[in-house]
Amino acid sequence: MVNEGRKLERAAPLTMEGYARRFELLVTRTSTEYDIMTRFTRNVISDNNFDKEPVKMLSVGAGRGHFEKRMVEELGLKLEYIYAIEPNPAHLGLLETALNSINVKYDIDPSFFDEKFAFNGKCGVKDQKFDFILFSHSLYAFQDPHGAVNHAVNFLKPDGKIVIFSHGGPDISDHLYNYVLERSDPEIFNTKLTHVNHGLTAQSIATFMQEGRSDLNVKLMQETAHIDVDEFVRGEEKEREGGLISFFMQCEYRDLSEEARKEVYDIVVPYCELKGDRYMIRHLCAGVIISFK
């Protein structure tokens, strides 16, 4: 037993607001992840003429609209309309600002997307079929991520594409998340209480769709990304709060026991490389493309 002979950890999961703050940190830190996502998406856009023909898009878990805005401004996505689903109220204002800035027709829906989701007349696309459906690092927040992707296929045009970005694995994110999960009081920290499940990997999503849907093409790609965690490695972050490490774990680093903090630090360091004068943590950035055969 993992917890035999030691007290259970009692660190609470990050709140939605806490998650939003950590996400902001992820976006603003020096990282190669968005470069990988950009390169991956550029190929999808060009290969499917999404830069030439008007595109109707569904974004599930749109966050602050950062990547959707980037696709239009930097990758040439000819976006005509977007239906953006984002249940985290901390993101909604910035999402609306981002969509207004790219001058497209849009609807924002704060509801959750699951296998029972329906547009109920709110959608700006009459047949409720989309050229492009995006899950950009959002499936971690789903109770049934595999069922959500399977349901999204119902809204895909015959020649459309679903693009999913997620952690690859096994990787630092699922390593840290599962470390906390295995050592915590299950009444305080479990997969249903955390805002996201960083134990989810792109491989599990791709395998589920490949095995369950013979009518689909499923392609998995992954590449190593690096994110700046220099202050954590050097012990310089304020109160050793953990920064991005807390984001991966889905709890505050400083709320762990002294023993657990040391073990987490010892897990993180082998994943780090010195790039110039900064320590960067490597992790797998994965993309899944789904289309009809």
Side-chain angles (χ1 to χ4, degrees), residues 45-55 75-79:
I45 290 172
S46 61
D47 290 348
N48 295 278
N49 293 321
F50 290 163
D51 54 345
K52 297 180 175 62
E53 300 295 331
V55 171
L75 306 183
L77 177 67
K78 194 171 182 181
L79 187 60

Side-chain angles (χ1 to χ4, degrees), residues 56 75 101 106 110 114 138 158 166 177 197 230 287:
K56 295 178 176 64
L75 306 183
S101 73
Y106 67 86
D114 57 21
S138 58
S166 180
Y177 180 83
N197 176 4
D230 191 75

Side-chain angles (χ1 to χ4, degrees), residues 12-222:
L14 294 178
T15 63
M16 290 188 79
E17 293 77 15
Y19 176 82
R21 290 197 305 274
R22 299 302 182 191
F23 183 81
E24 173 83 13
L25 185 62
L26 177 66
V27 171
T28 57
R29 282 288 177 96
T30 300
S31 169
T32 61
E33 180 160 357
Y34 273 98
D35 295 333
I36 294 170
M37 291 171 60
T38 296
R39 186 167 60 252
F40 183 92
T41 308
R42 179 180 286 113
N43 291 336
V44 173
I45 290 172
S46 61
D47 290 348
N48 295 278
N49 293 321
F50 290 163
D51 54 345
K52 297 180 175 62
E53 300 295 331
V55 171
K56 295 178 176 64
M57 179 177 174
L58 171 63
S59 181
V60 184
R64 307 177 314 152
H66 176 84
F67 195 64
E68 291 80 357
K69 176 180 168 70
R70 190 169 185 174
M71 284 193 290
V72 172
E73 295 181 342
E74 299 179 22
L75 306 183
L77 177 67
K78 194 171 182 181
L79 187 60
E80 179 181 65
Y81 171 82
I82 180 171
Y83 192 94
I85 299 173
E86 178 48 56
N88 190 336
H91 290 319
L92 293 178
L94 291 170
L95 174 59
E96 185 171 12
T97 298
L99 297 182
N100 281 329
S101 73
I102 54 177
N103 194 30
V104 297
K105 296 178 181 178
Y106 67 86
D107 286 296
I108 295 176
D109 188 342
S111 62
F112 287 90
F113 185 92
D114 57 21
E115 67 278 1
K116 297 179 181 179
F117 175 85
F119 290 99
N120 296 322
K122 296 181 290 185
C123 182
V125 179
K126 288 185 179 180
D127 63 359
Q128 298 178 355
K129 299 289 185 179
F130 294 85
D131 305 288
F132 191 1
I133 299 177
L134 176 67
F135 291 85
S136 180
H137 290 286
S138 58
L139 283 172
Y140 318 113
F142 289 66
Q143 290 296 324
D144 181 10
H146 305 102
V149 175
N150 196 44
H151 186 53
V153 175
N154 295 319
F155 306 117
L156 187 66
K157 287 185 178 180
D159 58 348
K161 292 288 185 292
I162 297 176
V163 172
I164 301 165
F165 287 111
S166 180
H167 298 308
D171 191 31
I172 183 62
S173 56
D174 57 293
H175 192 165
L176 287 175
Y177 180 83
N178 287 325
Y179 169 88
V180 177
L181 188 66
E182 291 168 0
R183 288 160 177 78
S184 292
D185 182 335
E187 296 296 319
I188 296 174
F189 190 100
N190 63 56
T191 56
K192 292 184 178 181
L193 292 177
T194 55
H195 181 55
V196 301
N197 176 4
H198 278 163
L200 179 71
T201 65
Q203 285 88 337
S204 71
I205 298 165
T207 298
F208 177 86
M209 298 305 293
Q210 287 167 338
E211 293 179 349
R213 296 291 299 257
S214 61
D215 58 331
L216 299 177
N217 292 309
V218 181
K219 183 179 182 181
L220 170 67
M221 301 175 65
Q222 59 184 20

Side-chain angles (χ1 to χ4, degrees), residues 230 234 273-280:
D230 191 75
R234 298 183 190 277
E273 301 172 9
L274 197 59
K275 300 284 187 180
D277 60 350
R278 306 283 294 179
Y279 281 103
M280 308 280 282

Side-chain angles (χ1 to χ4, degrees), residues 210-279:
Q210 287 167 338
E211 293 179 349
R213 296 291 299 257
S214 61
D215 58 331
L216 299 177
N217 292 309
V218 181
K219 183 179 182 181
L220 170 67
M221 301 175 65
Q222 59 184 20
E223 187 173 333
T224 299
H226 293 84
I227 303 178
D228 191 322
V229 290
D230 191 75
E231 286 82 4
F232 178 83
V233 174
R234 298 183 190 277
E236 297 171 358
E237 286 190 298
K238 185 179 180 182
E239 299 180 36
R240 288 299 299 272
E241 63 179 8
L244 289 176
I245 306 307
S246 295
F247 178 80
F248 288 138
M249 294 190 302
Q250 284 302 293
C251 69
E252 295 285 358
Y253 174 80
R254 62 190 173 200
D255 290 343
L256 295 174
S257 67
E258 182 178 355
E259 180 182 10
R261 290 197 301 271
K262 182 181 184 305
E263 290 177 350
V264 166
Y265 185 84
D266 289 342
I267 289 171
V268 169
V269 170
Y271 281 94
C272 294
E273 301 172 9
L274 197 59
K275 300 284 187 180
D277 60 350
R278 306 283 294 179
Y279 281 103

